[in-house]
Amino acid sequence: MACDISVFLRAWPTIKTEDQNLSFLIARINGQKGSFRNVTEQSLEQDIRAVEAGKVQDSDDEQYLDEKPETTKSRKDEVLIGRDEILKQIGQAQNDSGQALDFISLLLSRHIPKQAEATISPYLKQQLPIGTLGLEITQSTPKSESRRTDDELISTGWKLQSLSTTADSLLASATRLGTEMEQEAKHWEEVLSVQKKGWSICRLPRERHNLGVRYGFAEAAAEYRDRGLAALRRNEDGSIFLDLGLQAPVSRRLRVTVKQSSRTTASSLVSIAIENEDQSVEGSIRRARNAIYDEELYHEMYREARSLTNRGIQCMTEGITIPLEQERSLTVDLAEQSIEESGIVDGASPYSTECYLARAFCLACKLLLSHAHRQNYNLRTRQLPPPLTDRKPPRPVYSILRPLLALLQQQSALNDHSDFLQSIYATLKTGDLIMMVEPPTGVLGVLGMLHLKTSADEPLMETLAAATCSPLQAQSKITMPSASSFLTVYIRTHVQGTEYKIVIDTPPSSFLAQLPQETSFTSAAEMENHILHLLTLDLVSIISAENKRWQILSLHESQLSTDTSADGSLEVLSISLEKSKLLVSCCATNKDGDVVRSSVSWIPGSEDNLAFREVVRTIGAEEVF
């Protein structure tokens, strides 16, 4: 049995070459995934795993093909609509121009029919015969002499009025131009005056048509360097003023106050009435410069003070508190200076030590911040830049409080050492013993400042600041009562503390030559005890040299003895020197063993004292005691 079987064969799909172009593939990827930045290896792996799991249908190609004809059709409709609109406008313009041409041609057909007939439309020829429309030139009514005279007068009046108005406008423009020139000249004169004073004039970054002045410091921190630029605005009279923008109109200044038992005794601020201050542009710039400088200084001091809490420094909202000796303290803060505020508090003298201390401390802080800025400049310009890294290098903490604390510590050590030498000098002078003393002098004294080595590239203030930041050293010289030995005391102060070193300069025959020639100490008490011991040994050497009957029994215990009788009696002489007392004691033992003790002391301020040498020579005799 025969049957008909229909078989439909479909050809293999052909690959469109235009679909394999690189531009087509890029457009396809952008349409599916967006930018190439969004296409990563991880995202493609996730898409493949989703397709394999059947969670996402791979219908991007169909969606892309479906959307493309729709987009093309809408674009084609927009083009057709625009084409019809253009053709409509062109037809309207052609109709209007044809009607205008027919009207002119029909009007001229009466006078020049052949030329006009060539430009008339066929439709108009069928409707109207040639020469239908015409024109005539009519003469105007002649004016009378009085009317002509009135017209001339009116015309002359209008011309005079126009000329007068023009003249007034020119005069007003000239006056305004003259005023504007004066204001402009005054404006640029004040701008040049500011520039001649050394201030940097530049254009504002976001207002290129306006000028500004840069009063900040290039080596300051970023938040303070960027605030050191203000606009120079123009007043109505042509003068300029400093526009600080959103900054505080009232400047705050660094204030250092000295307190004695919680009572303020002095301040570094000086009373200056606001109306007497310089209100010029230069004065405003200086005040803004000082304010931002003091704010940066206080910020840097606060950063440093947080790392010095082990030195007793307290960082609070009210300010930085630095403890001193004798229940005194320094408080550093930012304060708005008012008319009533003065550097003299509670009736203190402006020449008192507290006022000098407050102002000197404030000035020293400002000099040290300037020194830190110069160090930043030298590091940026004279050294190789660090290698490029992604991490921003940390901003170092400036050394402002540390050198000043070392300076105050050194001054306190020098004062104590001077008081100690004066007490010893007064004690020895009571017994007619002469000790020559050269008081301690440091590198920051008046003579030390004159001898500081300066160069042409480095001013004296920078040299002084560098000397302050380095370890401070002072020295004093002592001539012993024997006048043959000398002591040199070196006092070296740094952040960690104060060190003392004593150097002995004595002849080889002296008893002091047996001791170490250099001795170092870490405390003032040890140094003072060693000086007293050396002076006592020098007194022992004086007694041994001037009195033959006294022989050294124990050098380091400052004892001398003598055997004056054949029956065995013994006398022991002891020397004791303290800060404010010199004591000579004698212990005599007779042949029966009886002990007789006697002593003589010298205290500063006492009267009718015997000479030390006389007492030593006659000590042990009955008439003396």
Side-chain angles (χ1 to χ4, degrees):
M1 179 177 175
C3 62
D4 298 335
I5 299 176
S6 299
V7 179
F8 297 93
L9 300 178
R10 180 179 296 178
W12 289 96
T14 59
I15 300 175
K16 296 182 180 181
T17 57
E18 60 272 9
D19 294 347
Q20 302 298 322
N21 293 337
L22 181 61
S23 59
F24 178 80
L25 294 177
I26 293 175
R28 185 175 179 182
I29 292 174
N30 290 333
Q32 293 177 357
K33 299 293 184 180
S35 176
F36 276 93
R37 295 181 178 180
N38 302 328
V39 180
T40 60
E41 185 177 356
Q42 292 78 6
S43 63
L44 293 177
E45 291 178 355
Q46 292 177 0
D47 294 343
I48 293 173
R49 288 195 295 268
V51 171
E52 291 177 355
K55 296 180 181 181
V56 180
Q57 295 182 359
D58 191 6
S59 60
D60 293 339
D61 296 344
E62 297 179 0
Q63 183 179 1
Y64 176 75
L65 295 175
D66 293 343
E67 291 179 355
K68 185 174 180 181
E70 183 178 356
T71 304
T72 305
K73 183 177 179 180
S74 60
R75 180 62 179 170
K76 184 177 180 180
D77 294 341
E78 292 178 0
V79 172
L80 292 177
I81 293 174
R83 175 179 174 274
D84 295 341
E85 185 68 22
I86 293 174
L87 292 177
K88 182 178 179 180
Q89 297 292 338
I90 292 174
Q92 183 67 27
Q94 186 177 5
N95 184 31
D96 294 342
S97 61
Q99 290 181 0
L101 180 61
D102 289 341
F103 175 76
I104 298 300
S105 300
L106 184 61
L107 183 63
L108 297 176
S109 62
R110 185 174 181 179
H111 303 280
I112 45 175
K114 293 184 178 181
Q115 290 85 346
E117 186 179 0
T119 56
I120 296 178
S121 62
Y123 177 78
L124 188 60
K125 289 180 181 179
Q126 295 176 3
Q127 298 296 328
L128 294 175
I130 296 175
T132 304
L133 186 63
L135 59 89
E136 293 182 357
I137 299 175
T138 59
Q139 294 182 357
S140 59
T141 306
K143 296 181 180 180
S144 61
E145 187 66 24
S146 59
R147 178 66 180 275
R148 190 180 296 107
T149 303
D150 293 341
D151 292 343
E152 292 178 357
L153 292 175
I154 293 173
S155 177
T156 303
W158 278 108
K159 290 180 180 179
L160 292 176
Q161 185 177 359
S162 300
L163 291 175
S164 178
T165 304
T166 304
D168 295 340
S169 177
L170 291 176
L171 289 176
S173 300
T175 304
R176 182 178 56 82
L177 183 59
T179 305
E180 185 68 23
M181 289 177 60
E182 293 178 358
Q183 296 176 356
E184 194 73 13
K186 184 178 181 180
H187 170 75
W188 288 109
E189 182 180 356
E190 293 190 3
V191 171
L192 291 177
S193 175
V194 172
Q195 187 179 19
K196 289 180 180 179
K197 294 295 180 59
W199 301 103
S200 177
I201 304 297
C202 60
R203 293 182 181 272
L204 296 179
R206 298 183 179 179
E207 300 179 19
R208 305 297 297 177
H209 58 283
N210 287 334
L211 294 178
V213 57
R214 189 176 297 278
Y215 56 85
F217 299 87
E219 304 304 328
E223 57 268 23
Y224 296 100
R225 181 182 64 248
D226 298 340
R227 289 172 51 192
L229 178 64
L232 292 176
R233 305 294 184 184
R234 176 178 170 180
N235 290 319
E236 295 181 357
D237 58 348
S239 60
I240 59 176
F241 68 96
L242 187 67
D243 185 9
L244 297 177
L246 299 178
Q247 299 185 26
V250 180
S251 61
R252 297 192 300 171
R253 300 182 184 179
L254 187 71
R255 181 178 60 180
V256 179
T257 56
V258 181
K259 293 185 178 181
Q260 181 75 34
S261 301
S262 302
R263 184 177 65 90
T264 303
T265 58
S267 174
S268 61
L269 289 182
V270 182
S271 178
I272 301 176
I274 297 179
E275 61 269 15
N276 294 331
E277 290 186 359
D278 187 7
Q279 297 297 326
S280 62
V281 180
E282 292 82 0
S284 302
I285 297 174
R286 282 194 297 271
R287 286 192 293 273
R289 188 266 317 269
N290 296 338
I292 195 173
Y293 188 81
D294 287 354
E295 289 181 11
E296 181 190 5
L297 176 57
Y298 181 74
H299 175 70
E300 297 296 339
M301 293 176 65
Y302 204 92
R303 290 182 60 207
E304 184 183 9
R306 287 184 296 181
S307 62
L308 297 176
T309 53
N310 58 342
R311 302 290 298 274
I313 298 179
Q314 299 179 1
C315 300
M316 299 178 291
T317 308
E318 296 79 9
I320 305 171
T321 303
I322 304 173
L324 301 177
E325 71 282 354
Q326 300 177 358
E327 298 183 356
R328 293 193 306 168
S329 63
L330 291 176
T331 302
V332 183
D333 60 351
L334 285 177
E336 297 180 0
Q337 187 175 18
S338 60
I339 301 178
E340 296 81 5
E341 187 167 10
S342 173
I344 307 171
V345 184
D346 294 340
S349 172
Y351 306 103
S352 62
T353 306
E354 287 77 8
C355 290
Y356 280 130
L357 175 61
R359 296 174 186 175
F361 191 88
C362 182
L363 180 59
C365 292
K366 296 180 180 180
L367 290 179
L368 290 176
L369 179 59
S370 177
H371 178 66
H373 286 173
R374 183 173 289 273
Q375 286 184 333
N376 292 342
Y377 174 77
N378 295 335
L379 183 64
R380 181 171 57 87
T381 57
R382 299 181 183 179
Q383 297 185 9
L384 294 177
L388 297 177
T389 57
D390 296 336
R391 298 180 58 184
K392 185 177 180 181
R395 187 160 57 91
V397 178
Y398 296 152
S399 295
I400 299 176
L401 291 176
R402 289 182 176 89
L404 296 180
L405 291 178
L407 182 60
L408 293 175
Q409 184 177 354
Q410 188 215 31
Q411 189 64 36
S412 177
L414 294 182
N415 293 336
D416 295 341
H417 186 60
S418 299
D419 296 340
F420 169 73
L421 294 180
Q422 289 177 3
S423 299
I424 297 178
Y425 176 80
T427 302
L428 294 178
K429 187 178 180 181
T430 307
D432 288 342
L433 295 173
I434 303 302
M435 182 186 72
M436 303 299 297
V437 176
E438 293 184 9
T441 57
V443 297
L444 297 181
V446 177
L447 297 179
M449 290 181 59
L450 296 178
H451 290 86
L452 285 177
K453 295 181 179 180
T454 59
S455 60
D457 298 335
E458 189 173 7
L460 177 60
M461 288 296 102
E462 292 298 327
T463 306
L464 180 60
T468 306
C469 295
S470 60
L472 305 175
Q473 182 170 329
Q475 64 181 14
S476 62
K477 293 184 179 180
I478 303 173
T479 303
M480 305 293 250
S482 61
S484 61
S485 301
F486 306 91
L487 299 180
T488 304
V489 182
Y490 295 96
I491 303 175
R492 182 181 176 87
T493 306
H494 45 78
V495 180
Q496 286 75 19
T498 304
E499 298 177 355
Y500 304 89
K501 184 174 70 172
I502 299 177
V503 179
I504 304 175
D505 183 10
T506 183
S509 60
S510 175
F511 295 118
L512 299 180
Q514 304 175 10
L515 301 176
Q517 301 302 302
E518 292 186 5
T519 310
S520 299
F521 305 94
T522 57
S523 65
E526 295 177 356
M527 180 267 300
E528 293 176 357
N529 292 333
H530 188 66
I531 292 177
L532 292 175
H533 180 64
L534 294 178
L535 289 174
T536 304
L537 296 181
D538 188 72
L539 295 179
V540 171
S541 65
I542 293 176
I543 297 173
S544 176
E546 296 180 358
N547 297 272
K548 300 301 182 181
R549 71 188 186 97
W550 293 108
Q551 303 297 327
I552 298 178
L553 178 63
S554 176
L555 179 61
H556 291 284
E557 293 182 2
S558 305
Q559 291 182 354
L560 298 94
S561 64
T562 180
D563 188 3
T564 59
S565 61
D567 55 1
S569 62
L570 179 66
E571 294 179 353
V572 178
L573 185 66
S574 300
I575 308 298
S576 175
L577 178 61
E578 298 179 0
K579 182 178 179 181
S580 58
K581 182 179 180 181
L582 174 60
L583 176 65
V584 176
S585 59
C586 181
C587 180
T589 306
N590 57 18
K591 61 181 180 179
D592 297 332
D594 299 331
V595 179
V596 179
R597 300 179 184 275
S598 59
S599 62
V600 178
S601 62
W602 289 268
I603 300 176
S606 60
E607 299 179 356
D608 300 333
N609 293 318
L610 297 176
F612 176 79
R613 287 178 171 84
E614 182 67 21
V615 171
V616 171
R617 186 176 59 86
T618 60
I619 193 168
E622 184 178 356
E623 62 271 18
V624 176
F625 301 94

